[in-house]
């Protein structure tokens, strides 16, 4: 996987419009305006692939991208944005919940949070719910470029504590600088169970010490 060959596939407004579950899905979730679309663009190195916006609530359907013919990236609508109607919010919530609970090929939900902000109830609830359903998830703390390295560490530790995570269980990221993108590609390749780039063969197993 090099995430180099990517194309937009379709935009689903209902479960019925999803593509067949013939490849693993990696879905990207998070509050409106947190930087989901920017993260996907950085992941595939295509600045304009997914529309980003200063206005929250830009992504309003499940947007499917096919990557290296091997997996789907799914840009989910953002949650927690107050300016859309109650009815629309409920419909989005229902679409996302049904998708996550029923999609057989869902390999991982990347939960994106803003490293500058304190833990939000909705993010916590999403992660609790994913844990409850035993759906693999990967928290990503984004917009790291807005903080010094010191502040990054401090804030990440606070979020880790709130979510009961260890540093190995999440990624500190920036769509602007590319911080964390290599690690994200590695983790997603593993989670999707697709072959990594051809590289050197794995090392032989360690010899057991007879002493
Ligand atoms: P919705 O689709 O509306 O839910 O938003 P989204 O989560 O897809 O966010 P989007 O990627 O559109 O980014 C929202 C704003 O945050 C834009 O102005 C981006 O330029 C900015 N942004 C996203 N990621 C980063 C980042 O890593 N660093 C900085 N400095 N800004 C970022
Ligand atoms: Mg978006």
């Amino acid at each position: 996987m090099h995430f180099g060959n990517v194309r937009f596939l379709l935009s689903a407004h209902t479960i019925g419009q999803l593509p067949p579950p013939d490849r693993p899905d990696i879905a990207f979730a998070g509050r409106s305006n947190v930087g989901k679309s920017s993260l996907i663009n950085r992941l595939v190195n295509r600045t304009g692939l997914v529309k980003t916006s200063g206005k929250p609530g830009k992504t309003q359907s499940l947007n499917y991208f096919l990557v290296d013919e091997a997996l789907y990236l799914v840009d989910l609508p953002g949650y927690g944005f107050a300016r859309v109607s109650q009815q629309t919010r409920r419909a989005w919530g229902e679409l996302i919940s049904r998708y996550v609970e029923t999609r057989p090929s869902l390999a991982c939900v990347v939960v994106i949070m803003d490293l500058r902000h304190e833990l939000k109830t909705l993010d916590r609830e999403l992660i609790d719910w994913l844990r409850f359903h035993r759906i693999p998830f990967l928290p990503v703390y984004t917009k790291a470029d807005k903080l010094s390295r010191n502040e990054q560490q401090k804030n990440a530790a606070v979020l880790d504590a709130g979510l009961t995570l260890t540093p190995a269980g999440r990624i500190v990221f920036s769509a602007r600088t590319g911080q964390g993108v290599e690690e994200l590609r590695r983790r997603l390749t593993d989670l999707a169970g697709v072959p990594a780039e051809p590289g050197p063969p794995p090392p032989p197993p360690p010899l057991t010490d007879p002493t």
Side-chain angles (χ1 to χ4, degrees), residues 3 6 26-29 35-47 49-50 52 59 63 65 67 73-76 110 112 173 175 181 184-185 188:
F3 293 87
V6 54
I26 305 275
F28 297 83
K36 296 175 294 300
S37 300
S38 303
L39 178 146
I40 296 176
N41 283 331
R42 171 58 84 165
L43 185 64
V44 301
N45 270 327
R46 290 269 299 273
T47 40
L49 180 74
V50 191
T52 63
T59 310
N63 289 316
F65 300 86
V67 179
L73 301 183
V74 189
D75 191 14
L76 298 177
V110 178
I112 303 160
F173 183 88
V181 71
L184 182 60
R185 289 194 189 116
L188 296 184

Side-chain angles (χ1 to χ4, degrees), residues 115-127:
L115 184 57
R116 297 168 303 169
H117 299 163
E118 60 185 28
L119 182 60
K120 308 279 191 197
T121 309
L122 282 171
D123 296 329
R124 204 229 122 111
E125 285 174 358
L126 172 62
I127 286 180

Side-chain angles (χ1 to χ4, degrees), residues 79-93:
Y79 48 81
F81 173 52
R83 237 184 296 165
V84 297
S85 73
Q86 280 296 332
Q87 205 181 342
T88 313
R89 284 170 70 181
R90 266 200 298 276
W92 285 0

